[in-house]
Amino acid sequence: MLLEAVYHRPKLNWSYAYDSETIHLRLRAKKDDLTEVYAFAGDKYIWNQSKELIPMSKFASDDLFDYWECAIKPAYRRLKYGFLLKSDDDEIWMTENDFSKERPPVPDRLFEYPFINPADVFKVPAWVKDTVFYQIFPERFANGNPDNDPAGVLPWGGKPERDNFFGGDLQGVIDHLDHLSELGITGIYFTPLFEATTNHKYDTADYMKIDPHFGDTEMVKKLVQACHERGIRVLFDAVFNHSGKTFAPFVDVLEKGEQSRYKDWFSVREFPLEVNDGVPTYDTFSFEPLMPKLNTDNPEVREYLLNVAEFWIKEVGIDGWRLDVADEVDHQFWRDFRKTVKAANPDAYILGEIWHESSPWLQGDQFDAVMNYPFTDAVLDYVVRGTLDAKGFANAIGRQLSRYPQQASEVAFNLLDSHDTPRLLTLCEGDKNKMKLAALFQFTYGGTPCIYYGDEIGLDGEQDPDCRKCMEWNPDKQDRDLFEFYRKLISVRKDLSVLRTGSITFLHAEEGGSKLAYERRLGKESVLVLLNNYDAGQTLEVPAAGQAWHDAMSGDS
Amino acid sequence: MLLEAVYHRPKLNWSYAYDSETIHLRLRAKKDDLTEVYAFAGDKYIWNQSKELIPMSKFASDDLFDYWECAIKPAYRRLKYGFLLKSDDDEIWMTENDFSKERPPVPDRLFEYPFINPADVFKVPAWVKDTVFYQIFPERFANGNPDNDPAGVLPWGGKPERDNFFGGDLQGVIDHLDHLSELGITGIYFTPLFEATTNHKYDTADYMKIDPHFGDTEMVKKLVQACHERGIRVLFDAVFNHSGKTFAPFVDVLEKGEQSRYKDWFSVREFPLEVNDGVPTYDTFSFEPLMPKLNTDNPEVREYLLNVAEFWIKEVGIDGWRLDVADEVDHQFWRDFRKTVKAANPDAYILGEIWHESSPWLQGDQFDAVMNYPFTDAVLDYVVRGTLDAKGFANAIGRQLSRYPQQASEVAFNLLDSHDTPRLLTLCEGDKNKMKLAALFQFTYGGTPCIYYGDEIGLDGEQDPDCRKCMEWNPDKQDRDLFEFYRKLISVRKDLSVLRTGSITFLHAEEGGSKLAYERRLGKESVLVLLNNYDAGQTLEVPAAGQAWHDAMSGDS
């Protein structure tokens, strides 16, 4: 037994409250090393009457490790526990500090989950896992009202540049909600809508005002109401890491320097504010002078931003926030943010932009989910880049599942592209089959899938700004086959709750090739998914018990 | 290279801000497996200009692993990083998801420390590591005022029982501060002082009132002032997990049941409040009906308790709080508690009672330290019980150091006994040499040492209630040799800052025996400590460079 590979520590993804009465325990071990694992658990105050051995099962694997798990509902919400590890030829007990051949005679040195306190339980909105999201970049989705176009607006469909405008607006979104409903979309994530100077609006000028080129508060209320009437939820984008250069407090600091009453709203390393050799004398996003970093250590700034967060929920009834550059803002702020947002709307979804492992933010006190770019990477490495074989892909997915509490995985925001990446079709070099394969995994996996506007009708585009092309509304120029594929995928996902909430087991993951088979299971319901990333048909044998199967995509039995 | 043993994950004890400009990175590997480890780090926005290889050094080891560490001050407070691992015959690069033979060509998939935000930096009070604490159980320390004795008080020095009283009080403490000053004490941790029915006062009746058998608010102010004049800081004990049965809100619930306006101040599983087969129908500490668990999910309860925390800091100027049964209270509450306490006194020390690995509470947002019982266990296993040899002991200490950010280890509350354990002398079966050896380690190690009242003059006692004997004030009955030993230890610790803030390296740790040698080092200052737990003298060769050494205990050169 390789003891160096065995891992457990209290809390985090290793022992957490799944709900107000259930504790999940997890243990990591070397891949294929253990044959059985048990939690040895009880109430420390009545140890002898309550202690029991609870079998754990393997719920995920990666290239080096297996991850074992069990769920326990302790009668008095507290748990003392250790583990019993069995391999073919060995039995070892694991306590908090040690491994031993002997069963621990007393519970003192076992691990402990002291108490399930409701305040600490990571609760995610139930609606998210049943939602299919669609990301809209408003300047490029549809121009519904030419009257509010910016000066110098270009004809719809031109080549997107860093600084040009095509006049997309909120009326345009309202005009095209039928398109989303036809596709089956039930959630929209809007990149920023507040007044700003750029076409992407990530340089906020006024957090309390809809950009006049998009519309106004009344228009956005109308839009949100129209969405809600169709069962579509709406996320706004909060750019709280930095403001824009035209944000009034920053303008004041630019004008008055150290005399500005807003000087502590930002993080100025040295006055005067200037840029030397490309480096601003104040903290910014990256080294971008347009985007001065907000100082959330300042109570005034915190109060201002929390008020913004609350205002748009109460004023227009949004269903959550996507948080830009979320990992560069302090954890304390996000904790206050969660309290404010969930008080205003207990069902709000809080989605952070983080491109990395995000466990520090996914413990129940900050976000519900992050933009799941590690998911994106794994799917693209497997389907598009070919840098992962099926086995490597299954391992990458297993590793991701192991990292977070189950409720976080249930509402993970699983995207394949965005305004910050090349388009999926372009990554696939125009190969629609590859694109469909990637989407097939996305829609038959847990979490909440998100389609970047236009992917569904064949929009392509390289890295930003090219990935921000105008939406194609001419049906003759839309790829209706692709649209139909996405529509079908979404419809199948909606029909089969197992695809939204079932467990996943990889039944076959080819080494050195791309054949992959996995099962989603929920109670007696089971869906088998077979992926073939070869150019030609393949044969694959997988274990499938003798039930009645039918093809979910074609409906054939 | 055993890749299964290699561990790193973002934040926690693995990558954390040591101060507002310094990031510590740590990596775990199989013991003696790696010869060199480097952090491969830079600013992601100017990767090519900033990336560098930073050597890491082994800062701790346990039985299975080595722990490597480096400190980095990134110019713009953000860091992208991976690791380069070298063994005798191998070189491997580690990224967030993978190991590779190739140097990562781009930083995208490395780990990330997104930004050092001041709000997230774990700041501990600077005075703590220079303090020597003394724990006082007030009912048994000294009776300075017979007028406030409880009814039925017994003559001083009688046998302690669960429910008897000897009349100790605050005047008694004031009367004996000379004893503490002579010993060299600079901090007192008082077990609870608030009104309660028991002799230990862990069943609070009134959080705003000093127990009348101890004194009153004026008396405690006088005591704290007298302590401060002597350079002694004072911690109070906050019992916020549960109240006592005589706490007015609970009395109201007992009287009015579901009609009580305080019914949500507690966690009642079922009305009426009663005890069936030893199990109360309401949540309690353990199954103790006297101690109903407070419902910190209720905003009224939170506000009440936070007000208590603030009141005693502002009213009498205490220097911190020790928190009873801290791990059974929710994390959210402790986060608010920290904000309240540090706002009232930025230098306050927050000390949680947790008997286990405590990393979930030691990240900078909750406690500064915990009652370090894992330290207690390790020292006792080695010195007293003999269940750890010197090597096992060094491994246990190394494991503890690896678990927490450095600043947490610097203010760890290192005790060898308390009101909740048998007395050290009793654990040593009266063997003073063993007791001295344990104390020698305690005072030549980092963190803040605490002496349980009376240990220094030879008080003994079995598990509670026997460990709560009356303090012996008759000099003829005090063990003055022991007192002198402690006085000397404290004085040496005060003289040598290296003992308070230096690094620790184990130079020799005998396998199957008890000989131990370690070095504490701070810059050019070095202290060598040799422990011999045999009955007879021993010879031990240790590497000690040719400097001038002198015996810190005897003063001999």
Side-chain angles (χ1 to χ4, degrees), chain B residues 498-548:
Chain B
V498 55
L499 289 179
R500 290 174 268 125
T501 54
S503 63
I504 185 166
T505 307
F506 289 97
L507 304 175
H508 181 89
E510 192 179 11
E511 197 165 352
S514 71
K515 283 189 284 186
L516 183 76
Y518 52 95
E519 185 185 24
R520 303 292 312 279
R521 179 175 281 280
L522 183 68
K524 289 182 177 173
E525 216 184 340
S526 171
V527 170
L528 201 62
V529 187
L530 310 178
L531 300 191
N532 166 19
N533 197 17
Y534 289 92
D535 291 335
Q538 296 287 323
T539 303
L540 179 60
E541 266 187 45
V542 293
Q547 295 134 311

Side-chain angles (χ1 to χ4, degrees), chain B residues 10-11 88 97 100 111 115 132 163 166 176 179-180 194 216 220 268 277 333 335 371 413 451 509 513 541:
Chain B
K11 304 261 172 136
D88 283 330
N97 299 304
S100 161
F111 294 99
F115 201 86
V132 175
D163 52 5
F166 294 92
H176 289 284
H179 173 80
L180 302 191
F194 306 139
D216 57 19
V220 90
V268 180
D277 296 329
F333 175 76
R335 291 192 184 107
M371 308 281 285
F413 194 83
I451 298 170
E541 266 187 45

Side-chain angles (χ1 to χ4, degrees), chain A residues 377-406:
Chain A
D377 285 339
V379 175
L380 299 180
D381 285 354
Y382 165 52
V383 175
V384 177
R385 300 184 189 108
T387 49
L388 281 181
D389 59 12
K391 189 173 181 177
F393 174 66
N395 286 336
I397 293 296
R399 184 185 304 116
Q400 291 176 27
L401 289 173
S402 77
R403 282 179 172 165
Y404 305 115
Q406 182 180 320

Side-chain angles (χ1 to χ4, degrees), chain A residues 313-328:
Chain A
I313 291 175
K314 292 200 167 167
E315 185 70 8
V316 310
I318 59 168
D319 303 285
W321 284 103
R322 183 265 190 189
L323 310 170
D324 191 54
V325 196
D327 55 355
E328 299 191 17

Side-chain angles (χ1 to χ4, degrees), chain B residues 24-25 35 53 82 96 100 118 161 227 259 271 293 296 401 426 429 443 449 456 458 481 499 510 536 539:
Chain B
H24 283 188
L25 298 182
T35 51
L53 279 174
E96 189 174 73
S100 161
E161 305 284 0
C227 286
Q259 307 314 314
F271 284 96
K293 186 168 168 67
T296 44
L401 288 173
T426 298
E429 297 179 326
F443 280 85
E456 77 282 8
D481 163 73
L499 289 179
E510 192 179 11
T539 303

